[in-house]
Amino acid sequence: MPPILQADVYVSSRLPLAIKRAGEPSLFSPISCTLIHGSTDAALVDTPISISQTEDLAAWIKATAPRKSLRYVYITHGHGDHCFGIPTLRAHWPDLVVVATAGTVAHMREQLGPAILEGTWLTLFPNGQIAAVDDLQRELSLVQTLTGSPKPVSFTLEDHKLHAIEVGHTDTHDTTVLHVPSLRLVVAGDAVYGDVHQYFGEANTPAKRAEWLRALDTIEALDAQTVVAGHKRAGTVDGLFNLRKTRQYILDFEDAVAKTKDWKELAGEMQRIYPNRINPHAILRGAAAAFPEGGVVGAKV
Ligand SMILES: [Zn+2]
């Protein structure tokens, strides 16, 4: 019998954005990082964005799994808000191995190009809040890419298989979830959202949103008991309702696109339907992307 695995979820602070959205100051969504651990070893799924957030995470890992060694960090998808903390973790665990699918690695590379790194991430979080680009590039070159067949591709923690499941376009392209059958756990990255407004800035067509719905079907078919959303409110139980609520939000967005005439009405309608979700500013980019002819919402990010 392999050692019994257990899991804990950390929810990051919300970083203030250096720009205003719709004329108002705003905070980025909270980010979840899931620690899966056995008797001596641990694997983390996703990191936060900034150095200080990741230092807080490192302290939490040491308090949560003392005397265990962080061997792996699995990255669910390439967006910087799920991987920019890697260099900060490396300083604490020099031997850790970062694992990701080929699609995620390609996407991470794209995020480090000047258009997205400077145009988005360093605009939102300037002045050394994020790890240096050289350190991020070095980490990219060290990632262990999960390849081969049969699918799903996997890595092993204390004799337990952890499966990378490719689910296609959700809130961005080439996303994955991590399935841990022995825990009946899915760590869903941004395929599943908790009580946080969903990002449709890239899921900007009915076809891409339909792909996101199919991804939710794929996750549901894994028959997990626990589904951890990539952005969630701290304290929310990681239940299957997260899948259902993510699906309903997409369907409601699709209806709202059909019955509104511009991005302002669309954003207003989503905030009317979901007054309690965190980060209403997240919907602005999705609304602008759904009505690209209507102009930008006051900022390019
Ligand atoms: Zn995200």
Side-chain angles (χ1 to χ4, degrees), residues 77 79 81-82 171 190 193 231:
H77 64 291
H79 273 158
D81 57 318
H82 298 262
D171 86 342
D190 285 356
Y193 273 65
H231 298 287

Side-chain angles (χ1 to χ4, degrees), residues 36-49:
I36 300 157
H37 45 123
S39 57
T40 58
D41 295 345
L44 180 74
V45 185
D46 288 346
T47 81
I49 307 170

Side-chain angles (χ1 to χ4, degrees), residues 69-266:
S69 100
L70 184 64
R71 298 185 73 84
Y72 300 104
V73 178
Y74 178 78
I75 304 297
T76 57
H77 64 291
H79 273 158
D81 57 318
H82 298 262
C83 64
F84 283 170
I86 295 169
T88 306
L89 294 175
R90 171 81 57 206
H92 290 270
W93 292 278
D95 298 329
L96 70 78
V97 176
V98 179
V99 285
T101 61
T104 296
V105 173
H107 191 188
M108 288 164 77
R109 185 167 295 118
E110 190 184 302
Q111 294 273 293
L112 292 179
I116 297 177
L117 186 66
E118 286 157 29
T120 298
W121 297 111
L122 294 176
T123 304
L124 293 176
F125 310 110
N127 306 322
Q129 292 182 74
I130 296 176
V133 63
D134 288 355
D135 293 339
L136 289 165
Q137 294 281 13
R138 185 175 324 112
E139 290 296 343
L140 191 58
S141 71
L142 297 174
V143 174
Q144 185 179 306
T145 306
L146 293 169
T147 51
S149 58
K151 302 258 174 174
V153 286
S154 310
F155 61 104
T156 303
L157 182 73
E158 294 192 1
D159 296 333
H160 294 271
K161 290 274 187 209
L162 282 59
H163 301 302
I165 311 286
E166 294 175 312
V167 293
H169 201 297
T170 58
D171 86 342
T172 187
H173 60 87
D174 293 302
T175 64
T176 76
V177 303
L178 188 70
H179 180 214
V180 188
S182 60
L183 285 172
R184 297 193 68 182
L185 166 72
V186 170
V187 186
D190 285 356
V192 176
Y193 273 65
D195 242 354
V196 176
H197 280 284
Q198 295 173 210
Y199 170 64
F200 291 112
E202 295 171 51
N204 57 351
T205 63
K208 287 179 187 168
R209 294 189 287 269
E211 193 171 339
W212 193 342
L213 291 170
R214 287 195 297 277
L216 297 172
D217 294 340
T218 301
I219 296 167
E220 195 153 26
L222 296 172
D223 201 24
Q225 290 173 332
T226 304
V227 177
V228 183
H231 298 287
K232 58 168 284 188
R233 182 162 48 73
T236 305
V237 169
D238 301 303
L240 297 178
F241 65 88
N242 289 303
L243 273 177
R244 297 185 197 119
K245 287 175 74 81
T246 301
R247 182 182 286 121
Q248 188 61 50
Y249 189 101
I250 297 169
L251 296 172
D252 287 341
F253 185 81
E254 210 64 75
D255 282 353
V257 170
K259 72 181 191 196
T260 54
K261 65 178 186 319
D262 60 31
W263 68 263
K264 270 189 186 161
E265 267 192 27
L266 174 57

